[in-house]
Amino acid sequence: MKKNSTVANSGKQIFKGKKLTIGLDQGDRWSFYCVMDEAGQVILEQKLPTTSEAMKQAFGKMPRSLIALETGTHSPWVSRLLTELGHQVIVAHAQKVQWITKSSRKDDRHDARTLARLARVDPELLGPVRHRSVKAQLHLTVIRARAELVSARTALVNAARGLVKSYGQRLPKCGTYQVSRELATVLSTELRDVLEPLLQEIESLNERIKEYDGRMEKIAKEVYPEVFLLKQVKGVGTQIALTYVLTIEDPYRFAKSREVGCFLGLRPGRRNSGESEPQKGISKEGDRYLRTMMVQGAHYILGPFGEDSDLRRWGRKLAERGGKNAKKRAVVAVARKLAVLLHRLWVGGEVYEPLRNSQKAMGEVA
């Protein structure tokens, strides 16, 4: 293996005429990369800062190479940068690279070597994923930032209610978005003075969340008109529809709409061996936030305010079968069908008919 000083002096000479494969192990501050030739020999191993300037300096001088890196906080911008520099980039699914995640010998150098070797032998072993575009990531950040504010608001509201109960008093029942300083009027003067700053902070969060709601509506209206196709399904609002569009981004990446359920990890996992076929839970692969949105939509569809539809009837039949966790299984099943339905509406641009299958069946009977 060439030393760094030798590489610095020889410039591109050590890479000349060679087909290179590079494994890049990213860290928050520092990253480590390993360069291999077509024979699997290590040509160079080096550490560099996880910054765009350092990446350009290190990889901008190299010939077009196959670079493998794992999914992580920095992988979106790093993969885009390396692609702009002319390299072929493979983003490995971190959970599927068992040789790294479950290795008893885990360090930056070893991980970079493993990524390079796997990419050189067969890139499919890395379970490659595709990052979304800069625009989609920016718009999705609006939704994720709103979700963080909602989570913080829920925690503060629960804290306020818990603190009040310890004095034998209670705040009036209401939704979290309705909590304000006015609720404290039923409390004792001393307790009201103590909780006023906390309730004021909740009011501020309510305002910020409303601002994000307005941003989401504006983005959906001006940039993603397909959102309104998805909102035809009652229970799918702007937040769910926009999250779906931004996460999938390209609906034609799936040959069939049914593949979306698998993509979101809403299908049962499999571990069949011989005649053994144990029943397993859903795989929970793919985007966790969008999967959560699909489950929320399924809860509404099956709930008291859901409109009558083929999907609701099908889900309720599953729940009525009884047995352990029957309702939970029905919710997950409806979430999977909902993901498929939204893709079908998006690709086909169709008008949604809630009882299409039921009416068709009744017509055939008649």
Side-chain angles (χ1 to χ4, degrees):
M1 180 184 73
K2 298 274 188 181
K3 293 184 179 294
N4 295 343
S5 58
T6 307
V7 173
N9 293 328
S10 59
K12 295 184 179 180
Q13 294 303 315
I14 62 169
F15 304 131
K16 190 174 181 180
K18 295 180 179 179
K19 184 179 179 182
L20 304 178
T21 305
I22 303 172
L24 176 62
D25 185 70
Q26 305 163 95
D28 189 49
R29 299 286 183 181
W30 295 88
S31 297
F32 197 95
Y33 68 91
C34 171
V35 183
M36 288 185 179
D37 60 18
E38 58 269 27
Q41 289 283 32
V42 176
I43 302 175
L44 171 66
E45 289 182 316
Q46 199 165 7
K47 185 179 181 181
L48 77 163
T50 309
T51 62
S52 58
E53 293 78 10
M55 294 286 176
K56 288 178 182 178
Q57 187 175 2
F59 299 106
K61 299 177 182 178
M62 294 184 185
R64 176 179 168 82
S65 308
L66 177 63
I67 303 179
L69 59 144
E70 286 184 284
T71 52
T73 303
H74 298 283
S75 63
W77 71 264
V78 171
S79 62
R80 286 194 291 264
L81 175 62
L82 295 176
T83 302
E84 290 172 4
L85 292 175
H87 298 290
Q88 180 185 353
V89 182
I90 299 174
V91 182
H93 196 307
Q95 295 179 350
K96 291 190 176 182
V97 188
Q98 303 288 335
W99 291 275
I100 294 178
T101 56
K102 294 187 178 180
S103 175
S104 59
R105 181 189 165 198
K106 184 168 175 58
D107 58 62
D108 296 343
R109 182 189 297 269
H110 183 265
D111 292 351
R113 282 192 178 191
T114 303
L115 284 169
R117 293 192 188 283
L118 290 173
R120 190 180 69 86
V121 175
D122 185 359
E124 289 300 319
L125 295 173
L126 296 170
V129 301
R130 183 172 65 180
H131 282 306
R132 58 185 63 88
S133 64
V134 178
K135 183 179 75 170
Q137 185 176 355
L138 182 63
H139 290 158
L140 193 59
T141 300
V142 173
I143 298 174
R144 296 294 179 89
R146 178 190 180 278
E148 293 297 328
L149 290 182
V150 170
S151 179
R153 179 181 66 181
T154 302
L156 290 179
V157 170
N158 290 340
R161 293 190 182 279
L163 291 170
V164 169
K165 287 180 182 178
S166 65
Y167 288 90
Q169 303 179 48
R170 288 180 182 272
L171 288 174
K173 289 184 178 181
C174 64
T176 53
Y177 61 92
Q178 296 174 316
V179 174
S180 64
R181 284 172 288 180
E182 294 180 2
L183 294 182
T185 55
V186 299
L187 305 177
S188 62
T189 304
E190 297 83 359
L191 190 55
R192 185 165 61 247
D193 291 340
V194 172
L195 289 181
E196 184 172 356
L198 179 60
L199 296 175
Q200 186 175 2
E201 191 64 31
I202 294 173
E203 287 182 348
S204 177
L205 287 175
N206 284 333
E207 292 300 318
R208 302 291 82 76
I209 291 170
K210 286 181 181 178
E211 290 177 9
Y212 275 121
D213 288 339
R215 284 191 184 188
M216 286 195 304
E217 293 290 346
K218 184 177 180 181
I219 291 171
K221 183 177 180 180
E222 297 180 356
V223 187
Y224 303 100
E226 56 267 33
V227 164
F228 297 94
L229 286 173
L230 277 55
K231 287 175 66 177
Q232 295 180 92
V233 182
K234 191 172 181 181
V236 176
T238 301
Q239 183 182 0
I240 294 178
L242 187 58
T243 303
Y244 188 94
V245 169
L246 291 174
T247 304
I248 302 297
E249 195 170 10
D250 178 16
Y252 299 102
R253 63 194 294 190
F254 303 106
K256 298 179 180 179
S257 297
R258 292 180 61 184
E259 295 176 4
V260 182
C262 301
F263 172 75
L264 295 180
L266 288 168
R267 64 165 178 81
R270 290 195 306 177
R271 195 179 178 85
N272 299 348
S273 178
E275 296 181 0
S276 175
E277 296 184 11
Q279 185 177 4
K280 296 179 67 66
I282 58 174
S283 63
K284 295 186 178 180
E285 296 175 345
D287 191 276
R288 181 172 63 178
Y289 187 74
L290 180 55
R291 185 167 58 251
T292 301
M293 291 290 97
M294 292 294 98
V295 170
Q296 286 185 11
H299 273 293
Y300 183 92
I301 289 171
L302 293 175
F305 303 106
E307 71 171 353
D308 188 20
S309 64
D310 293 327
L311 191 55
R312 177 182 171 90
R313 292 182 181 184
W314 180 79
R316 289 204 157 187
K317 281 185 179 180
L318 288 180
E320 289 170 359
R321 291 180 182 178
K324 186 179 180 181
N325 298 324
K327 186 175 181 181
K328 290 182 179 179
R329 289 199 301 272
V331 168
V332 173
V334 169
R336 183 170 61 250
K337 284 239 179 188
L338 177 61
V340 174
L341 171 63
L342 295 182
H343 184 268
R344 188 67 254 160
L345 291 174
W346 186 0
V347 172
E350 302 173 11
V351 175
Y352 174 58
E353 300 177 41
L355 294 171
R356 180 177 182 177
N357 293 335
S358 299
Q359 292 172 352
K360 182 179 179 182
M362 290 177 64
E364 290 176 353
V365 172

